[in-house]
Amino acid sequence: MFFLQGCRSRIEPADADREARELLGLVPGFDWKVDPGSRLADPSNAAFPLPPRDDPDSRRITVMIQEKDAYDDGNESRLLASEKWRAQLPLLENGKVGLEIETAMRLGLLHSPEFQAQKEQLYLSALDVTYERFRLEPKPFLGFSGGASSKEGTPSNTLESTTRAGFGGMAGQGADWVASLASRLSIELGGGSVDVGGSLAGLTITQPLLRGASKRFYRERLTLAERRLLSDARSMEQFRQGFYLGLATGRNPAVGLGQSEIAASSARTSSVSGFLGLLQEAQKIRNQEANVAKLKDSLSQLEAAFEAGRIGNRLQVDQARQALYGGQSSLLASKAAFDGRLDQFKISMGLPPDLEVEVNEEYVEQFRLTDVDLVEMQDALNLKLRLARDPDKTPSSPSLLALALETLAMRPRVERSLAGFKSDHGALSTALPVRLKWYWRLRERPDLREIGMGADAFRDEDLNRVVAELNATSERMEEQFSVYWESLDDIVASAQADPLDRIRGRVSTSLNELTGLFLELSLAKASARLESIVMKEVRVETEYALRMASEKRLDWMNARATLVDAWRQADLARDDLRTDLDLVLSGELGSSALGSGNFRPAEGGASVWLELDTPLSKVLERNRYQASLIFYQQARRQYLAFEDEVLSSLRNFSRVAKLNQLNFELSRAAVRGAIAQVDLARLRLSEPPQVGRNGQFGATTARDLVNALNDLLDASNSFLQVWVGYEAMRMRLDYELGSMKLTENGTWVDPGPILAKTPSRWKNKN
């Protein structure tokens, strides 16, 4: 019973889970059991899964061959996935899942099949260790055989049984030992005799003297399993980091568990997808919406100018209208593309694409250069302007007066927008010292000096002038809006006495003036927000960064261990070429048939002998040794290639960081220039005719305005793209340096500025 109980306790599946947990209890985020709240949870919740529904034709083949012994077919009601996970989703009041990077990571860790597969691979690696440990432990064995026999010509039958039990294992310098106890029992039926064949206790020890005579060899399989478990635990943590990068930027650089070769870093790319890519596309849609609103404003102003006779050719109005239609079409296409990317992102989290989600865009809020509320007011104002110009829609003075009163009701919203402009201007004042310091770094860069860029391109006085102009704009616009509201009050007050045509003209002119003020305010707010955006510093000195990565990167630790494993395999193969020389010690102690279990020295014995097997025929071992040497050299070259790839990657990060920092300021300047172009085109459209000169606008007025608005859209998108790429690069650089930290929920701990550079105290010593 002792032997049976000992064997049974080691084959229980629950014991395998317990032993794996003891090995992996400290690994972050590790639990191979699927959470009941996960979409991956098996709804049957059975120890052994029920059979799923089979393909009908395949089922017929199975039944035809196995007949009645065929397994049961799963019916249609047996679901492969449960819907209970939906009850635990973080829903907003509108019933949609609120999606931000923290929520995405939490949902991905819970529902992603890819991440679950990595956890299960680590569990399997732990099971390998439990087996290798068990293999080297003293193991009990128990055997029993019995049967009945009869002989011709005799009236009796004989029952015989043999029992053998004992322990076996390995110890010392590779010694193999077996301790056993055997007994035999014979019963003759018919004759009534019982023959006890006696008992025999034995001990055999086999000690290698040449090949395999070391713990280094007979414990090699356990050593390799333990080392691979450590490697897989590191890979699991690095995969968790890479999984975050995959969700955040669209690319997971981690190779995952079970990698037997030294893997270099994955190929680099400048494109960004993932959650940051979604935010980038969402903000581009906001920019397009603002562009469409500005195109509507421009079309309204051009139509008013055409009706006033200041545009002699309707072609300019048609050009503006066509640009508006093109912008609206592009907006619809961008929204459709965004929905497609959002579906793919949901799949990457392990969620179905039809799940309703709402992306939280707060991360790129600072790039929303256009006030959303102001865009809505612009749309409403354009509608009022069209109504005021259409006698069929506003045939009476009261209808025109209602439009003026509705416009007056917008005053609180406009004042809030003005207050927001002042707030953005205050943020710029706070960011100004950082901007000036950034300008100084750009001026001091040797690479920019070599191409003649630096001192002239990034002057403090230019930045100070922009701030001063925004100060003046803030004061001027506050005064302009104050004058405008007084003017509109006057129109409302005199509406009862004025004739219909005069009221229509004054209301239309007033609404058109407010349209221009809205456009100017929108551009001013965009300028203030544009100038207040700053980057977090990244500086990479390659030599120091390489040293840092070699000490902290988990995959670099694994690469070194993998190289040593290849050398160790060659060492084992070399040992196999040695002569087999074993010392065998054997001893037995028996008992007589009548005294079974009563052992006596007289019925025992001992022996010592040597077993020799010369290596004359070890051709297979020779070939394995030669192959192991080649495999080691290949591993050594892979390790050197790994170092080269990491060095190349860090050098590239240094270059890309500098390039993005430059492009960020150049893109900002491009947006600044585009805003100035739009402002200039707007001023041309709103300036009054001069006495004695042709009052019509130029032939390219509409085209200039449309081009300026489209240039502003393109520049704003490019500015955003540089910043998003820079943020993705910061995340990846933190990973490449081995310094990346995650919270318990798996989200990135932003280190702020990343300064992979030699400390100044080191430089002073050198």
Side-chain angles (χ1 to χ4, degrees):
M1 291 299 293
F2 168 76
F3 288 105
L4 290 174
Q5 182 63 30
C7 294
R8 182 176 181 274
S9 65
R10 299 306 297 267
I11 64 173
E12 288 291 335
D15 286 321
D17 291 351
R18 175 183 54 78
E19 292 173 11
R21 289 189 189 280
E22 291 175 356
L23 286 170
L24 299 170
L26 299 179
V27 177
F30 170 72
D31 190 349
W32 70 92
K33 296 288 187 181
V34 178
D35 191 286
S38 171
R39 188 184 179 213
L40 306 176
D42 190 339
S44 66
N45 197 28
F48 185 80
L50 299 174
R53 185 188 179 201
D54 201 355
D55 168 67
D57 293 335
S58 301
R59 175 65 182 174
R60 280 193 291 271
I61 292 175
T62 304
V63 174
M64 178 180 65
I65 297 174
Q66 299 182 357
E67 299 178 347
K68 294 182 179 180
D69 291 334
Y71 55 85
D72 294 335
D73 186 19
N75 54 49
E76 294 187 22
S77 62
R78 192 167 294 162
L79 299 176
L80 294 179
S82 172
E83 293 296 311
K84 295 180 180 179
W85 59 273
R86 292 182 180 270
Q88 301 185 27
L89 291 173
L91 300 180
L92 302 174
E93 293 182 357
N94 58 10
K96 297 181 179 181
V97 176
L99 196 60
E100 51 192 15
I101 187 59
E102 291 80 6
T103 307
M105 187 64 179
R106 186 168 66 252
L107 293 175
L109 294 178
L110 184 62
H111 301 290
S112 169
E114 182 185 17
F115 191 78
Q116 178 63 28
Q118 295 296 312
K119 294 194 294 183
E120 291 166 347
Q121 184 63 40
L122 183 59
Y123 171 72
L124 296 177
S125 183
L127 290 187
D128 290 341
V129 173
T130 62
Y131 171 71
E132 293 301 332
R133 289 183 178 182
F134 170 75
R135 193 177 64 86
L136 295 180
E137 293 175 356
K139 293 181 287 295
F141 59 87
L142 173 64
F144 173 83
S145 63
S149 62
S150 63
K151 294 182 178 180
E152 292 291 337
T154 61
S156 63
N157 297 321
T158 303
L159 298 179
E160 294 183 352
S161 68
T162 301
T163 303
R164 186 171 181 269
F167 285 87
M170 300 187 74
Q173 298 297 311
D176 188 353
W177 62 272
V178 177
S180 62
L181 175 65
S183 63
R184 184 178 66 83
L185 175 66
S186 176
I187 301 176
E188 185 177 347
L189 301 178
S193 64
V194 177
D195 178 20
V196 179
S199 300
L200 181 65
L203 174 64
T204 301
I205 301 175
T206 303
Q207 173 63 57
L209 299 179
L210 293 177
R211 188 178 75 88
S214 172
K215 294 179 181 179
R216 182 158 57 98
F217 299 116
Y218 87 86
R219 292 186 177 181
E220 169 58 25
R221 288 175 54 178
L222 174 61
T223 303
L224 184 60
E226 296 270 10
R227 288 169 65 93
R228 285 181 176 172
L229 178 60
L230 173 61
S231 175
D232 284 344
R234 289 171 176 162
S235 297
M236 182 70 206
E237 174 59 17
Q238 193 168 46
F239 186 86
R240 198 166 70 108
Q241 298 172 358
F243 187 73
Y244 175 86
L245 288 176
L247 288 180
T249 69
R251 288 187 61 255
N252 181 353
V255 295
L257 281 69
Q259 182 70 34
S260 59
E261 297 183 351
I262 300 174
S265 301
S266 55
R268 299 181 292 271
T269 178
S270 58
S271 61
V272 178
S273 53
F275 189 74
L276 284 181
L278 284 177
L279 294 179
Q280 179 178 332
E281 294 304 315
Q283 184 54 43
K284 285 184 177 180
I285 290 175
R286 301 293 172 262
N287 292 343
Q288 286 179 293
E289 290 173 342
N291 182 63
V292 168
K294 291 182 177 69
L295 287 172
K296 288 180 180 179
D297 285 344
S298 302
L299 178 60
S300 298
Q301 289 181 300
L302 289 169
E303 287 177 338
F306 178 75
E307 293 175 0
R310 301 200 63 190
I311 295 180
N313 190 343
R314 189 170 183 83
L315 177 61
Q316 294 199 59
V317 179
D318 293 338
Q319 287 176 339
R321 182 176 288 106
Q322 189 60 40
L324 173 61
Y325 293 158
Q328 291 170 329
S329 176
S330 297
L331 177 59
L332 291 175
S334 296
K335 288 183 176 181
F338 176 81
D339 290 339
R341 295 186 67 169
L342 184 58
D343 284 349
Q344 290 301 314
F345 184 75
K346 286 182 279 189
I347 291 175
S348 70
M349 292 188 293
L351 299 174
D354 61 348
L355 183 68
E356 293 291 330
V357 301
E358 182 176 305
V359 178
N360 187 336
E361 303 173 27
E362 184 178 353
Y363 195 75
V364 291
E365 176 68 26
Q366 59 182 334
F367 286 89
R368 190 162 296 171
L369 303 182
T370 303
D371 187 345
V372 177
D373 191 43
L374 193 57
V375 171
E376 293 178 357
M377 288 191 289
Q378 284 176 319
D379 289 337
L381 190 61
N382 287 329
L383 177 60
K384 291 180 176 61
L385 185 56
R386 287 195 297 271
L387 292 175
R389 290 171 178 167
D390 190 347
D392 295 333
K393 298 294 180 62
T394 52
S396 62
S397 297
S399 59
L400 291 170
L401 181 60
L403 293 178
L405 292 174
E406 290 174 4
T407 304
L408 275 174
M410 298 170 65
R411 183 171 183 175
R413 296 176 65 186
V414 175
E415 290 178 348
R416 283 197 298 271
S417 186
L418 277 170
F421 174 46
K422 291 181 179 179
S423 176
D424 294 335
H425 186 263
L428 172 58
S429 300
T430 303
L432 185 59
V434 179
R435 292 286 315 281
L436 292 173
K437 186 177 181 180
W438 199 271
Y439 265 27
W440 175 80
R441 289 201 189 100
L442 291 174
R443 289 196 302 268
E444 295 298 314
R445 277 176 48 174
D447 56 334
L448 299 186
R449 288 181 177 180
E450 290 178 1
I451 61 174
M453 181 185 291
D456 295 334
F458 306 104
R459 298 183 302 179
D460 292 349
E461 51 266 31
D462 292 338
L463 186 56
N464 290 327
R465 185 179 65 253
V466 170
V467 175
E469 290 175 353
L470 285 173
N471 286 336
T473 300
S474 176
E475 296 175 359
R476 187 184 72 254
M477 293 217 67
E478 190 169 2
E479 182 180 353
Q480 285 178 326
F481 272 105
S482 178
V483 172
Y484 174 79
W485 297 124
E486 292 178 2
S487 172
L488 189 57
D489 284 334
D490 181 65
I491 293 174
V492 172
S494 60
Q496 299 295 335
D498 289 339
L500 178 60
D501 290 342
R502 176 175 171 77
I503 296 175
R504 186 180 306 279
R506 294 187 68 187
V507 170
S508 298
T509 301
S510 176
L511 295 180
N512 191 55
E513 180 185 356
L514 185 58
T515 298
L517 289 175
F518 277 178
L519 181 57
E520 185 178 2
L521 177 59
S522 177
L523 295 174
K525 293 193 70 172
S527 296
R529 286 202 165 192
L530 171 72
E531 302 298 341
S532 62
I533 300 174
V534 296
M535 276 182 162
K536 294 180 180 178
E537 185 180 3
V538 170
R539 275 191 282 173
V540 181
E541 291 183 5
T542 306
E543 182 179 353
Y544 177 79
L546 185 65
R547 184 191 312 167
M548 181 178 177
S550 68
E551 295 173 355
K552 294 187 175 183
R553 279 185 61 152
L554 298 175
D555 58 343
W556 203 325
M557 300 176 189
N558 287 346
R560 282 191 287 263
T562 301
L563 179 61
V564 173
D565 286 342
W567 180 89
R568 289 169 53 251
Q569 292 302 311
D571 186 44
L572 290 174
R574 181 178 60 172
D575 183 69
D576 287 340
L577 295 176
R578 302 173 70 188
T579 299
D580 288 293
L581 179 61
D582 298 337
L583 174 65
V584 181
L585 306 176
S586 179
E588 296 178 347
L589 191 62
S591 66
S592 64
L594 297 177
S596 179
N598 185 16
F599 298 103
R600 294 184 301 176
E603 298 188 20
S607 61
V608 178
W609 70 90
L610 292 174
E611 293 183 350
L612 175 66
D613 184 9
T614 62
L616 299 178
S617 60
K618 291 192 173 184
V619 176
L620 178 61
E621 288 79 358
R622 178 204 66 186
N623 293 348
R624 286 175 177 170
Y625 173 65
Q626 292 298 108
S628 68
L629 292 178
I630 292 176
F631 294 153
Y632 168 72
Q633 294 299 330
Q634 290 176 345
R636 184 180 63 85
R637 292 191 292 268
Q638 289 174 357
Y639 181 80
L640 294 176
F642 175 86
E643 287 186 329
D644 290 343
E645 182 61 32
V646 173
L647 177 59
S648 174
S649 176
L650 293 175
R651 286 169 59 86
N652 183 67
F653 275 113
S654 178
R655 290 188 292 265
V656 171
K658 293 179 180 179
L659 182 61
N660 281 348
Q661 290 163 2
L662 173 62
N663 287 340
F664 188 67
E665 290 302 330
L666 296 180
S667 298
R668 192 201 307 267
V671 178
R672 187 187 303 137
I675 291 175
Q677 290 179 11
V678 173
D679 199 24
L680 180 60
R682 182 195 61 80
L683 288 175
R684 289 176 181 172
L685 196 60
S686 60
E687 63 184 7
Q690 298 182 11
V691 179
R693 301 183 63 180
N694 185 3
Q696 289 191 343
F697 296 123
T700 62
T701 300
R703 186 179 62 190
D704 292 344
L705 181 56
V706 168
N707 289 342
L709 289 173
N710 289 334
D711 288 345
L712 176 58
L713 174 63
D714 294 339
S716 299
N717 290 340
S718 297
F719 183 57
L720 171 66
Q721 183 174 349
V722 172
W723 185 84
V724 169
Y726 187 81
E727 284 296 290
M729 182 214 64
R730 281 201 318 118
M731 294 179 184
R732 179 65 189 271
L733 176 59
D734 199 19
Y735 172 89
E736 293 285 340
L737 291 172
S739 56
M740 189 176 195
K741 303 296 182 184
L742 301 180
T743 65
E744 292 183 358
N745 295 327
T747 55
W748 181 46
V749 179
D750 189 345
I754 299 179
L755 306 177
K757 63 186 186 69
T758 305
S760 57
R761 63 181 184 276
W762 292 9
K763 293 181 178 179
N764 294 335
K765 290 181 180 180
N766 295 333

